[in-house]
Amino acid sequence: MVLHDSNPPMEDPMTLEITHPTSRPAEIVDAAALRDLCDAEIHLPGEPGYDDARAPWAASVDQRPAAVAYPRSAEEVSALVRAAAVLGLRVAPQSTGHNAGPLAAQGLADVVLVRLGRLDEITVDAERRVVRAGAGLVWEPVVEAAAEAGFTVLHGSSPDVGIAGYSLGGGSGWYARKLGLCTNNLVAVELVDAQGRILRADAEHHPDLFWAVRGGGGSFGVVTALELRMFDFATTYGGMLFWDVAHTEDVLRTWAAWAVDAPDEVTTSFRVLRVPPLPEVPEIVRGRDIVVIDGAVLADDETARQILAPLRALEPEVDTFGRVPTRELIRLHMDPEGPTPVASSTAILHSLPESAIASVLEAVGPGADTAIDLFELRQLGGALGRPHPGGGATSHFEGTFLTLALGIAMTPERGARAHEEAHALTDTLAPFANGRNYLNFAENPVDVASFFSQDAWRRLTEVRATVDPSGLFVGNHPVPGAERESGS
Ligand SMILES: Cc1cc2nc3c(=O)[nH]c(=O)nc-3n(C[C@H](O)[C@H](O)[C@H](O)COP(=O)(O)OP(=O)(O)OC[C@H]3O[C@@H](n4cnc5c(N)ncnc54)[C@H](O)[C@@H]3O)c2cc1C
């Protein structure tokens, strides 16, 4: 299918009847009428399929929309958006629900949750070095399709994160310090706008909209397909090093000093990990507390070995770094797959001095009694730290380290404790934080504006007010229209 612009016919009555969606109280919204107005599969509260249909990847999040829709094509999304507007419902696009927490927290009683999982076509154009992928896809099949043609795409650490939410929110993966954010490598998106039109947004068509969705996320329309740049390499020097948790202090101190000055070619993550005692976990780490550094070097083997030498000098128990096909990095980080209940907190740090290291050791180091199963520091800087020419609302990160403190919420009590301890650790690190939130990592409601420069935030709110004046779309980290922000 070719990306195209299409306007609903002028005589279409639904286009003329679009009302301000938030002006109607939720209790009088008749979501069942969606079935009369569009062909998408619709699930309503009280029906047998509703609970499965609304279940997000973030399994501890209880999202209860007025309806859940599963469209099969951009045309069905278009009809759905127009039907929702006519009925006074708002529209929340969602791919996997990895970041469902901040969306559900907004209240979904007058919202149609649009699950995009059935938009799953992939077309590789080797000549243009572009893969066009349906917005419901997760990373693994897209990585595989690119790899089959000898290319690499800028995926993240998890095979089952959605390409849409990841790319529209930034997207930082194993090549980020050399090649930047994934969102900078979006060539185009196909999007259904608030009028139900199917648009192609790229550098030439709807450039303001294209600028806004690249980092501004899901407040501007329902993206139905993405065109992503592919890179002409198929191997990298990647892998992991790990030690027993007893070595946390040495490893963290060395890594933190090394990370700041490391060349752009390398992107790594440092983690303290409490590995669950599950049979499917390799025996060598099963049930253990370990310290892990993993990542990739985009350089020849000898250069990569030199770059990693200071970390290898710490004599890891296991060292898997070596030349590997890039497709193998999709599971390097051992991220949980399938629905998982999590509680987490995040920040971006400008530095990690001794006192910050001491706080980390106290919270998650050897002997800590904690519900934080994972504490991660991702290495920023390099291309990630530089504005990208022609980039969108988010084209780089300011800061040196991205943190994530996370616990698996196997019970509500465990989840509450993990939430509290993860936020307490983030608070302790606040003196070293730059006050910004990487929205893709923020699994709780946060100050959305804090991630953007003042100019970018002003422009985002202006674009929102222009393309979605009635506030039809509900993003997980919402960008309000300019008129709302000023209170009018
Ligand atoms: C296990 C795990 C690993 C991760 N690893 C990384 C990583 O390595 N690097 C990184 O940068 N981030 C990472 N993340 C964060 C991830 O990028 C965000 O959770 C992202 O929002 C997930 O996108 P999604 O589409 O899967 O989630 P969803 O919850 O489905 O989407 C999040 C939001 O994106 C918007 N959106 C989604 N689809 C559409 C669409 N089709 N049209 C318009 N808007 C849409 C909506 O506003 C939606 O609420 C990870 C998260 C987890 C849980």
Side-chain angles (χ1 to χ4, degrees), residues 94-99 157 162 165-166 172 218 223 378 438 440 476:
Q94 188 172 74
S95 295
T96 65
H98 271 77
N99 201 293
S157 62
Y166 174 93
S172 180
V223 172
R378 290 207 182 182
Y438 174 33
N440 273 4
N476 55 337

Side-chain angles (χ1 to χ4, degrees), residues 183-432:
T183 200
N184 295 332
N185 292 287
L186 272 178
V187 176
V189 297
E190 180 186 81
L191 172 145
V192 174
D193 76 357
Q195 299 298 317
R197 297 178 302 173
I198 302 171
L199 307 175
R200 177 191 172 91
D202 62 18
E204 277 85 43
H205 307 88
H206 309 283
D208 281 343
L209 185 56
F210 187 54
W211 175 87
V213 296
R214 287 180 294 154
S219 298
F220 303 90
V222 181
V223 172
T224 48
L226 301 93
E227 286 190 9
L228 295 154
R229 185 166 293 120
M230 302 189 298
F231 290 84
D232 196 5
F233 59 92
T235 69
T236 184
Y237 197 87
M240 72 161 72
L241 313 171
F242 84 72
W243 300 257
D244 188 82
V245 75
H247 298 276
T248 307
E249 186 169 351
D250 266 3
V251 176
L252 178 52
R253 191 169 286 129
T254 304
W255 177 81
W258 167 90
V260 175
D261 296 323
D264 293 6
E265 279 69 25
V266 64
T267 305
T268 58
S269 142
F270 163 95
R271 278 176 300 167
V272 182
L273 204 52
R274 302 189 194 280
V275 185
L278 299 173
E280 61 266 31
V281 172
E283 198 178 343
I284 191 167
V285 293
R286 192 181 303 150
R288 286 182 62 190
D289 296 352
I290 56 173
V291 187
V292 185
I293 294 172
D294 54 0
V297 193
L298 280 182
D300 61 78
D301 291 5
E302 185 44 37
T303 308
R305 278 193 281 270
Q306 282 171 20
I307 291 172
L308 294 172
L311 305 175
R312 284 177 152 159
L314 297 171
E315 297 179 355
E317 184 179 326
V318 167
D319 175 352
T320 69
F321 268 97
R323 175 112 341 238
V324 288
T326 51
R327 72 207 308 172
E328 287 187 12
L329 293 199
I330 194 80
R331 286 200 167 75
L332 173 66
H333 213 49
M334 303 178 293
D335 280 345
E337 295 174 44
T340 308
V342 291
S344 72
S345 177
T346 181
I348 297 179
L349 308 183
H350 49 69
S351 58
L352 198 72
E354 280 300 319
S355 52
I357 290 175
S359 297
V360 171
L361 290 171
E362 193 183 331
V364 297
D369 172 20
T370 176
I372 299 173
D373 298 305
L374 173 158
F375 175 73
E376 176 163 11
L377 291 161
R378 290 207 182 182
Q379 181 186 9
L380 303 182
L384 261 182
R386 295 188 286 268
H388 184 84
T394 301
S395 84
H396 72 294
F397 290 166
E398 281 171 19
T400 310
F401 300 104
L402 170 64
T403 77
L404 181 70
L406 178 150
I408 303 294
M410 289 320 292
T411 61
E413 296 71 31
R414 183 78 180 176
R417 188 179 157 201
H419 178 90
E420 192 180 315
E421 292 179 3
H423 281 79
L425 177 50
T426 302
D427 289 348
T428 313
L429 296 173
F432 321 105

